[in-house]
């Protein structure tokens, strides 16, 4: 089981469904949410400013939508990597998006912190597929 997951999505219904599914399936103990990339960056900045153990308190997985207002998923990744990727080497990103654009799939592969690309909405089948991911496997 993953201790903590951060879900970043501007759609409150998707966030609610993801949170319920992740907890009910025993995929995680704790789900933290952010409504866009900027909100997610603020979460990590606050974590490092207020936690005595930010690495231990950080989420192991980030479920990231890419099409969001204010700061989209790509912008989040471009800001997150230089600020936090080295500090949180055991935190990986799962792109969770409804996109069908092949460019988005190839772009995701350019980010070393991205472990997988999953189609929305999050489902029991998606979670089973995620459990086969090399990074996620070690939690189960």
């Amino acid at each position: 089981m993953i201790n903590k997951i951060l879900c970043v999505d501007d759609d409150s219904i998707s966030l609610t469904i993801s949170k319920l599914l992740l907890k009910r399936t025993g995929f995680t103990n704790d789900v933290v949410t952010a409504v866009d990339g900027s909100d997610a960056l603020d979460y990590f900045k606050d974590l490092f400013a207020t936690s005595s153990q930010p690495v231990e308190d950080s989420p192991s997985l980030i479920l990231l939508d890419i099409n969001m207002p204010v700061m989209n998923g790509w912008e989040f990744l471009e800001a997150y990597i230089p600020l936090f990727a080295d500090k949180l080497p055991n935190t990986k990103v799962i792109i969770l998006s409804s996109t069908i654009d092949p460019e988005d799939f190839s772009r995701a592969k350019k980010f070393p912190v991205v472990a997988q690309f999953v189609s929305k909405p999050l489902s029991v089948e998606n979670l089973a597929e995620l459990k086969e991911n090399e990074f996620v496997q070690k939690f189960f």
Side-chain angles (χ1 to χ4, degrees):
M1 179 182 296
I2 296 173
N3 190 44
K4 186 184 291 185
I5 294 176
L6 171 63
C7 290
V8 186
D9 198 322
D10 62 313
D11 181 355
S12 61
I13 294 170
S14 287
L15 280 177
T16 301
I17 290 169
S18 294
K19 192 172 187 173
L20 287 171
L21 187 62
L22 289 164
K23 286 186 169 189
R24 286 190 179 160
T25 58
F27 205 82
T28 186
N29 289 321
D30 189 15
V31 179
V32 182
T33 60
V35 295
D36 60 49
S38 178
D39 192 27
L41 284 178
D42 287 344
Y43 167 80
F44 284 106
K45 289 175 186 172
D46 290 347
L47 183 67
F48 276 87
T50 60
S51 175
S52 61
Q53 300 177 30
V55 174
E56 289 81 13
D57 294 339
S58 69
S60 298
L61 208 57
I62 302 169
L63 298 181
L64 179 66
D65 186 20
I66 52 176
N67 296 313
M68 298 178 285
V70 183
M71 178 184 273
N72 67 36
W74 304 125
E75 293 166 329
F76 167 78
L77 285 169
E78 288 169 5
Y80 171 86
I81 288 170
L83 290 172
F84 301 109
D86 287 344
K87 296 175 185 174
L88 300 170
N90 296 322
T91 297
K92 297 294 180 192
V93 175
I94 304 296
I95 302 285
L96 181 62
S97 180
S98 56
T99 188
I100 56 170
D101 185 348
E103 180 60 33
D104 287 333
F105 292 97
S106 62
R107 189 173 182 186
K109 293 177 184 174
K110 296 177 184 173
F111 293 96
V113 297
V114 174
Q116 195 163 329
F117 202 112
V118 174
S119 294
K120 269 183 167 181
L122 194 61
S123 65
V124 172
E125 294 79 17
N126 289 354
L127 292 178
E129 181 185 326
L130 267 177
K131 284 183 179 180
E132 300 301 315
N133 180 286
E134 183 180 324
F135 172 77
V136 178
Q137 232 174 25
K138 64 184 175 189
F139 293 102
F140 297 95

